[in-house]
Amino acid sequence: MSLVVDKAKDVIKKLTPHGIGFYTSGQLFLEEYYTLAVIGKAGLRTLHMDGNTRLCTATAAASMRESFGSDGQPGSYGDIDFTQCMLIVGHNMAATQTVLWSRVLDRLAGPNPPKIIVIDSRKSETAKKATIHLAPKIGTNLALLNGIQNLLFSEHWINEEYVSKHVCGIDALKETVQNYPPNVVEDITGVLEADLRKAVEMLGSSESLLSTVLQGVYQSNQATASACQVNNINLLLGRIGKPGSGIYQMNGQPTAQNNREAGCDGEYPAFRNYNNPTHMQELADLWNIDYHQLPHWSQPTHVENMLTFIERGTLQMFWISGTNPLVSLPNLPRSRRLLTKPDLFVVVQDIFLTETAAIADVVLPASQWAEKTGCFTNVDRTVHLSHKAIDPPGECKSDMDIFIEFARRMDFRDKDDRPLIYWSTPEEAFNAWKGVSKGRPCDYSGLTYEKLTGGSGIQWPCNEDHPYGKERLFEDGQFFTDLEYCESFGHDLETGAPISKDAYRAMNPAGRAILKSCYYHPSAEMPDDEFPLLLSTGRNIYHFHTRTKTGRSKRLNEACPEPWVEISASDAWKSGVKNENDIIVRSRRGAVQLRAKVTSIAEGQVFMPFHFGYFDNLGGKASAANELTADQWDVVSKQPMFKSGAVRLEPLPAYEVRIHKSVPYLREQQSKTEAEVQRRKPNATEPFAESSRLTHLKMWVGATYEPLTALIDIYDSLIPDLVHDVEVNSGLRIMRRITQETLQQFKPFTEKYGSDAEYGQIIAKRLRGLFPNDSQFVDSFEMLQTLLALQVYYADIEGHLMALVPVSNALWDKAFIQAVETAIKNAGRMKAKVIDQRQQVLLVSGAIHQYSVALVSMCIENSISKGRHIITQEEIYSTANSSDKHMAISYKDAVDAINKMAAELLVEFLNAEETVLIEEAPRHVVKHDYRAPFATPQFDSSAMDGYAVSSAYLRTASETYPVTMRIMGTIAAGDGEMEFRNEVEDGYVPCVEIMTGARFPIATSGPAFDACVRVESASILGDRLENGYRLLGVTEPARENQHRRFAASDFDMDQLIIASGQKISERHVMALASVGIERVAVRKKLRVGLWSTGAELQPRPVQISTRIHDVNKSYLTSVLKNRGVVVDFLGTLNDNLVEIVKSIQTMIRSQKFDILMTTGGVSAGKFDFVRRALERLSANILFHGLAVRPGHPALSATLSPRASEGIDYHQFNKVESQASRPIAFFGLPGNPVAAAVCFEFLVMPYMSHFGVRRPQETRWARLCYYEITLGSKSWKSSINDEFRHGVLKESETGPECRISEDQSPSKTRPLLESNCFVHIPPNTAAGEYVLCYPFDDSVDSVEQPE
C-alpha cells in the first residue's frame, strides 16, 4: 500500500490527479462503492472513474435516464406473478437469471399463464418457451421496435388518456416510426409481417405488460435507442406503475445497481445531474469540499476513453478492482498492448489471480462476499444486507478496508481539515450514504442495518413517506423528469450529443415520461465478401462473466469446459467446415480456434460464449471471444457493441486437423504477454521513466490567444475600408474593444501555463485566409463575405475556448475559469453582433430569397384580402383532363357543392358529443348544464397555512406587546373535526396549527377559534415546553373571520356552473374541479385524417438523406391544429391503387374521422391514383378538375357507408359493411403551394360550417386626438363613466384610434404624449367605434403611463 500511495503522489505531481483512473466492478458492496466514489470524486477529484458495468448495464441506466429522467427500475419482481404478457427483448433469461426464470416457468405451468413474446436473434432456451418468437437479424433491434410502435399507432392500440397526461414527445415519435411499416421492417430485420402483427395484437390486447431487456439489446447496434423503444411501448400502452405492468432494464451483475447509485461508473452519487449546479453544490456541501473542486465540468470518463488516455500517456496509474478486463474488454489485442505499457502502473484488487492480475504491478488480495458485511440491491430496487459469515484467508482485506487505508495514507481531508473518509465500518459508511441519498430517487434514508437484518430486503425509496419501501415507481404517472430533479437532460439518440438545459426546459417534461425516437442505421461493420458473417457473443448457463469463480468450480467447469462457435448448416457447408471439428474464426482484429457446433442459428450469423479466457489454458488455443470483437461503443451509453462485427470461418489446414489436440494451430497470447511484462516492464518500485509527451494545453492556449491577437490587426485593416458604412464601421470598433479586453484578461494564463505561439499563428493564418483579398468593398456581396468570415473566425475562437472550460476546471484555477467564461461570453457577443449586421446587409442588398413557405403565406394572404369567395377566373381557374371533361367546375360551383355537402353532414355532427377530461375541455362547447352536486367548501376551513386562534386573545398583539401562544396540535387538510380547549393556561394563549383547506377546530371551552394567523405573521419561540408543546410568538392583531373560508361560500348545492352551449374556459375548469366533476360532455371537435401520397416520400431507412421531405404533412398538420381541429397523420401511401383503397376503407370503417384528406396522387392521367381509388369505393365525387395552377388539380367527394364494405383488393368484389355515416373527402395536389391554397379556398369553406375559423391576429392602433363628428351631432363625451370611446381610422402611418380632445384631457393627454397604442378587437372596420381603456376615478392624472 505504501508503494501504491507513493506512485499515486508521483503521478499527481507529474500529471495532476487526472493521471489516475479507477475501473471497478459489479460485485462489490454498496458501502465499498460509496467509499471509492468519495475517494475518487472528492479526494483525488478525478473524472476517470468507471466500472465493468459499462460492459453490461450502462445502457439500462442510460435508457431510464432518457425516458424517465433518472436511473431506477420502475417495476418489481412481484409483477411476474400478475402479468398477462411478457415482452422479453434480447434477454435469454433461462441462461442469465435462472432463479427469475424459474418464477416465469411456474407461471407458465400454472393457471392463466402469461403470453410470452421473445425478441432474440437466436432460438434460445427462453425463446423455446415463447408464445411468439421474433428473430431479427443481428443489429436490427431498433428497426423491429420502431415497427412495433408503428403498428401500435396505426392499429389504434395507444392508451390516449394515459399518453395525454403522462408523456411528451409523441409527435416526434410518430414521425419517426411512420417510416417503419411492416413491409419495410420485414426487409430490414427478416421478421415476417404476419408475426409482427400477431405480436403487436398480443401486446395491445393484454391488460398488463411486463417488459425485460438485457445484453441482446445493450451490447448490440443502437443500444440506448433500442432500449428506449421498449420503454416507449409500455408508456404508449399505459402499462407501467401497476401490478403486472412494468419494465426491467435488467442488470447483469449482483451489485451493478449499487455501483450506479454510488457513482463509481460514470454517474454521480444518488443519481445527481452533473450539469445541474444545484446538484453539484449539494454534493459538495454534503462532502464539505469546495464546489469548484468537485469534478463536474464534464461527464465522467468511460473505460474506452481511459484506454485512449493510457495510449497517449496522460493516464499513468490504473486501479482495477473486482473485474478482469484482459478477458472482458473488446478488441483484446489492443487492450493487452495498452495495459502492459511500461509507463502504466497497474493495481489489481481481486480474489483470484486473474489474467489481468497476472500482468499487474501490485495485486491487493480482497475478501469476497461471505467474508465481509455490506448491502447489495437487486434490479427491482430491493436492498439486502449480507452479514459476514467467515474470516477471509491470509492477508485478504475487504474492498472497503483497502480503500479506507489508501485514503488514510493519502490524508484526504475536507475544507475544515477533517478526514474526508470519517467512517471505518460498513454500517458507518451506510449511514453516510443514507444522508447523500436522501431526497433523491434512490432514497435510503429510512433504512437501517437493523431493519434490513433478518428479512428478504426492502425496496427503495425507503424514507418518511415510504418507511417500508415502495414496490413500484410511477404509480401516479409522475416521473423523475422535472428540470431541477432529473439525473440527465438526455441525448440525441442518433448522434449521442447531449441535450442542453435550455433545450430540455423548452421540451418541458415536468414530471412526464419522455418518448425518445431514433431512425435505424446499420452497424458500422457489416458483412462483406471478405468477412461474410455477423458475430454475436453472449452468456452460457454454467459460467459467469470471465469465469473468475465459476471456472474454478469443478462441477460447473466439467459441465462446460471449453468454448465453441455456433454456426448454421448452410454457412458450415459454404465455409468448408464440419460439425464438432476445430475451426478458425477470424475478424479484422484477430482469430480464434474453436470447436464448431452446427445448430438452428440463422444463416449469416455465428454465436460464441464470451466467458473464456486463459488462466487455465496457458499455452493452449486462442479462444477468447473478445479477440474478435470490435471496439465500437454506443453513442449514448458508451457500452461496447459485443454483438456486432463481421467474421469468416476457415477450416484448419489438413495437417493441423491431425495434430491440433496436442499443439494448437492458433496459440493464445496471454502467456506471451505475461512473459513480456516480466522481461521489459521496470520494477514497480522504481520511479517512472521520463518520456516526451505532447502538452495539448499549450497548443490550445496558443490556438486561442494568437488568433485573438491577429484579430486586432484584421480590425485595423477593415475599419478604414468600411468608413462609408457607418453601422458596420461602428460595430467593428465595438468588437475591437471587446477583443482587446479579452486579450488583456487572457494574457496572464499564457504566461502561467504556457502558449504554443507557433501553432497558434498557423491557426490564425488559416483563419485570415477566410477574408476576401480585395478589401475595397465595391459591392455588398464582398461586405457579406467579410462579415461571414468574421462570424466563422469568432466561432473558431469560441470552439477553442469551450474546450478550455473543462481544462480550467480540472486545474482548479478559479481565475482561469473566470477568464475562460468571460472570453466565451465576449466571443458570443461578437458573433451575435456580426450575424445581426450580416442580416442587415442582406436585407438592404435584397439578397434574401423567399422560400416556399413564404410563397404559400403570400398567396393565401393576398387571396384572403380579396374576400373569401371573390376570386377571379384568372386567379383560380378550371382545368380538366381529356377523359374527365364532365368533372371540370368553376370555383363558384365548387364552393356551392362544398356548402351543400356541409349542410347534409352538419346535423349529425352537431348532435354528436364526446366526453373529455376537464383539463382538456377549454375551447370546447359544453353539451349539457353542469351544476354543483354539493356545496363547496363543505365545511368552514382555513384559507391558508397558519394557526387557528381566537381573535379575542389577539386584539392587542403588536411588536411592542407580542402574544405568546401554545400550539395545542396540528390539523391537516383531510382530517376530521378536532376539538381543543381554548383557555389560557400558565400565561400561554392556545392556538392550533392548521393547513390550507383544513377544518377549523372546535373549542370545547373558552371562546371559539374564529381566525387564522398566517405563518409569516408568527414565529416559533425557543425549545419545546416540558409537556412537549411548542410556543408561538404573534405580533399582529387578528380580526374575527380573518383568513377563513365558510361552507358554501364558493357554490351552493345545485348551483349552475356552466350552461349547455357555453364555451368552456379556464375558470370553468377550476369550478368543475372544485366540485369533483372530472369529465364533461362536449360538442364533438372536427377530426381530420391526413395522408401523403407518393412513392418519392416513402422512407429509405438505409439512406435517409435521399428522401424527399414531406412539406404538406408538416404544413397542413400545423395549420389544422392551430385552428382547433383534431388531426391525425395516417402515414405516407405509395403510388399503389390497392394500398390506397385499403387505407381509405380502413379509416371509413373506424368512423373516427369527419374528413379524410390526401395530398398528391390526384394528377390527371396515369398518376390519378386517388380518383380511381374513390371510384372503386363507390364514392360520390363532387368535382375533380379545379386547379390553382395548370397540372395541379384538386378533388372533393363524399364517402358513403357502403364504401367501407369488404373488398377483394385485386377483384374489388364487395361484401357487407359496418360503417354508419358518410364522410367528406378532399384530395389536394402534391405541390406544397397549390395544396396550401386549395386548403384555404376549398377545405376551409367546408370546415367553417363546423365552427372552424382562421386564427385572428392581434391588431393595434395608435391613440390620437381628432374632432369626431357623428351625423349632425359632434360627439365629444364618453358614453358612460367607465370607458372612453374612439373611432378606428386608417392613415398613411397605419391604424389610428381617434378620440375627442375634451374627453378627460387631464387623463388622456399623458397617454397621447407617451405614444400609446390601443388593442383593436378582431373584425373592427374603419369608422367603427373602439372601446379604448378604463379609467380609475380616484386618479386625477396619469403621471407615468405604462
Side-chain angles (χ1 to χ4, degrees), residues 942-951 954 965-971 989-996 998-1001 1009-1021 1030-1036 1038-1039 1041-1044:
S942 175
M944 60 184 60
D945 291 347
Y947 301 91
V949 299
S950 171
S951 59
L954 293 176
M965 311 192 80
R966 180 177 59 215
I967 303 172
M968 307 291 292
T970 300
I971 307 176
V989 174
C991 68
V992 179
E993 188 176 23
I994 191 167
M995 307 304 170
T996 305
R999 292 174 181 266
F1000 249 70
F1009 292 101
D1010 62 0
C1012 175
V1013 175
R1014 295 178 304 157
V1015 170
E1016 297 86 346
S1017 302
S1019 55
I1020 300 293
L1021 304 176
R1030 292 174 296 162
L1031 296 181
L1032 186 76
V1034 181
T1035 58
E1036 293 180 2
R1039 63 182 183 276
N1041 297 326
Q1042 174 179 288
H1043 305 317
R1044 293 185 72 184

Side-chain angles (χ1 to χ4, degrees), residues 943-1162:
M944 60 184 60
D945 291 347
Y947 301 91
V949 299
S950 171
S951 59
Y953 289 139
L954 293 176
R955 287 184 182 136
T956 60
S958 66
E959 293 281 353
T960 308
Y961 300 104
V963 175
T964 303
M965 311 192 80
R966 180 177 59 215
I967 303 172
M968 307 291 292
T970 300
I971 307 176
D975 287 348
E977 285 187 347
M978 299 181 71
E979 298 179 345
F980 296 92
R981 293 181 62 196
N982 195 10
E983 296 177 348
V984 178
E985 295 181 7
D986 302 325
Y988 299 128
V989 174
C991 68
V992 179
E993 188 176 23
I994 191 167
M995 307 304 170
T996 305
R999 292 174 181 266
F1000 249 70
I1002 297 172
T1004 58
S1005 60
F1009 292 101
D1010 62 0
C1012 175
V1013 175
R1014 295 178 304 157
V1015 170
E1016 297 86 346
S1017 302
S1019 55
I1020 300 293
L1021 304 176
D1023 299 328
R1024 294 175 183 269
L1025 298 176
E1026 290 182 3
N1027 54 12
Y1029 292 123
R1030 292 174 296 162
L1031 296 181
L1032 186 76
V1034 181
T1035 58
E1036 293 180 2
R1039 63 182 183 276
E1040 188 177 356
N1041 297 326
Q1042 174 179 288
H1043 305 317
R1044 293 185 72 184
R1045 296 177 71 230
F1046 293 95
S1049 59
D1050 291 344
F1051 290 105
D1052 288 322
M1053 182 180 291
D1054 205 37
Q1055 181 178 337
L1056 181 66
I1057 298 175
I1058 186 169
S1060 174
Q1062 278 188 275
K1063 184 173 283 189
I1064 301 171
S1065 67
E1066 286 85 351
R1067 64 183 180 85
H1068 291 124
V1069 173
M1070 181 180 290
L1072 292 165
S1074 70
V1075 295
I1077 297 174
E1078 297 180 349
R1079 294 174 173 272
V1080 289
V1082 296
R1083 184 182 298 167
K1084 185 180 173 209
K1085 276 199 170 186
L1086 202 66
R1087 294 178 182 271
V1088 174
L1090 173 67
W1091 288 282
S1092 291
T1093 306
E1096 71 280 4
L1097 302 177
Q1098 286 291 324
R1100 294 165 172 80
V1102 177
Q1103 295 178 323
I1104 297 295
S1105 60
T1106 63
R1107 291 176 54 198
I1108 293 177
H1109 295 289
D1110 190 348
V1111 176
N1112 288 333
K1113 180 198 80 171
S1114 302
Y1115 177 76
L1116 292 174
T1117 300
S1118 66
V1119 169
L1120 286 163
K1121 286 183 177 179
N1122 194 37
R1123 300 181 188 186
V1125 177
V1126 179
V1127 57
D1128 280 359
F1129 182 69
L1130 303 175
T1132 303
L1133 301 175
N1134 216 328
D1135 292 335
N1136 181 292
L1137 184 59
V1138 171
E1139 182 182 346
I1140 296 173
V1141 169
K1142 186 176 180 181
S1143 299
I1144 295 175
Q1145 187 184 52
T1146 300
M1147 289 303 106
I1148 300 172
R1149 283 177 175 165
S1150 76
Q1151 294 288 285
K1152 181 178 178 180
F1153 301 105
D1154 305 293
I1155 301 173
L1156 292 173
M1157 195 184 309
T1158 60
T1159 65
V1162 292

